[in-house]
Each structure stands twice: as C-alpha cells, then as structure tokens.
C-alpha cells in the first residue's frame, strides 16, 4: 500500500499493524505514487482527493493464471472447488481495475464486490478503524520557498 503524507495516520496504522502489509510513503501526486506501487506484486494507492488505483505485476498475473490452471485441472468431478472459484474472482478483480487511470467506477465496483463477498455493508466497512482527528490550516509566509520538506513531505 502506497500513501502520501495526507493519509490519515489511522489508515496507515491499520494497514501496517492489523493487515500486516508494508506501507510506503511518497510525495503527493500520482506521478510519485504510481511508480512506487509498481514495485510491489500488488500495489494499491489512493490519495485523499480520490485519485488512485491498484496495479498487478506481470509476475503476479502469471502466477494467478498458473494457479487457476492447476486448480481447474484438479477438478475431476466437474464441480468447481472453493479455491478455484476464489482464484477466478481474484483474476476478475485484476481485469476490472483500470491500472492506467484509476477509473473510479471500476474501483467502486470492486469495493462493492469485496463487501458482498465479506457479507458487509457500508456500516461494517466504516467501522474497520476510526480516523485520527486532524485539522488543516493555511499559514501565510512571506516566502514559501524557504520551507522545504523531507521524508515524502512528512517533515518540514
């Protein structure tokens, strides 16, 4: 999962501590987020403004196709196993998501499919974690060029 400094710290903690996934942080903007996401087998990024997508490495797609082929060949009685069905659902998700532009419509359809598979509604989704309180203010300075940031815009 790739985030920017604008991500709420509660989401970062949830992904890292509860889901056990690596969280990378980049400067703001798709031009920074997308290349970082491509470093992962499955890379996911969403900015607070709604821009974002999921990308799947060629290696991951090949492994998924191979796993589907193996699971399909193991089905001697013609009935699809739970494992094969799950692999096919994952493959369908990779095809529904538009990795190039982060199409919001395909993104929300994938979210809807995941919620349906989990038996969740919007309430359960919203209760996964609570955002940390935050406040954004505009500070007027004479010369904004004197302020520089480091560590993916997290330290001034």
């Amino acid at each position: 999962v790739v985030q920017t400094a604008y991500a709420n710290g509660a989401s970062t903690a949830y992904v890292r501590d509860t889901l056990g996934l690596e969280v990378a942080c980049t400067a703001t903007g798709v031009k920074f987020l997308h290349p970082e996401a491509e470093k992962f087998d499955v890379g996911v990024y969403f900015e607070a403004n709604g821009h974002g997508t999921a990308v799947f490495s060629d290696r991951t797609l090949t492994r998924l196709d191979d796993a589907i082929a193996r699971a399909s060949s193991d089905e001697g009685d013609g009935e699809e196993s739970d494992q094969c069905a799950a692999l096919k659902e994952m493959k369908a998700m990779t095809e529904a998501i538009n990795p190039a532009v982060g199409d919001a419509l395909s993104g929300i359809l994938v979210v809807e499919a995941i919620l349906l598979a989990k038996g969740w509604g919007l309430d359960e989704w919203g209760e996964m974690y609570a955002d940390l309180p935050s406040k954004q203010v505009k500070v007027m300075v004479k010369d904004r060029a004197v302020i520089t940031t480091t560590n993916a815009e997290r330290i001034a």
Side-chain angles (χ1 to χ4, degrees):
V1 175
V2 185
Q3 297 183 321
T4 69
Y6 287 100
N8 190 284
S11 70
T12 306
Y14 178 82
V15 170
R16 183 189 61 233
D17 302 338
T18 303
L19 299 180
L21 299 174
E22 179 182 344
V23 179
C25 191
T26 71
T28 302
V30 170
K31 69 180 181 180
F32 298 109
L33 289 154
H34 197 89
E36 187 67 25
E38 288 178 322
K39 295 177 183 178
F40 294 90
D41 289 332
V42 178
V44 178
Y45 68 89
F46 287 94
E47 289 190 284
N49 64 10
H51 296 152
T53 192
V55 293
F56 303 87
S57 71
D58 289 341
R59 177 177 174 257
T60 297
L61 294 173
T62 299
R63 291 177 71 193
L64 185 55
D65 288 338
D66 292 348
I68 291 169
R70 281 192 309 277
S72 295
S73 68
D74 290 343
E75 297 168 354
D77 60 4
E79 191 168 319
E80 185 173 76
S81 69
D82 289 344
Q83 178 186 20
C84 190
L87 288 165
K88 287 180 178 180
E89 287 176 11
M90 179 68 166
K91 178 67 176 183
M93 186 178 72
T94 70
E95 294 169 347
I97 294 172
N98 186 334
V101 297
D103 174 39
L105 184 57
S106 67
I108 198 63
L109 289 173
V110 168
V111 167
E112 185 70 27
I114 292 168
L115 293 176
L116 181 64
K118 293 181 75 57
W120 285 11
L122 293 177
D123 290 336
E124 292 86 357
W125 187 28
E127 292 169 359
M128 288 176 64
Y129 68 88
D131 280 340
L132 295 172
S134 66
K135 183 175 183 178
Q136 192 171 18
V137 297
K138 185 173 186 174
V139 178
M140 302 300 291
V141 295
K142 288 183 183 180
D143 181 8
R144 68 183 184 153
V146 300
I147 300 172
T148 59
T149 61
T150 61
N151 194 4
E153 301 174 342
R154 294 184 288 184
I155 300 173

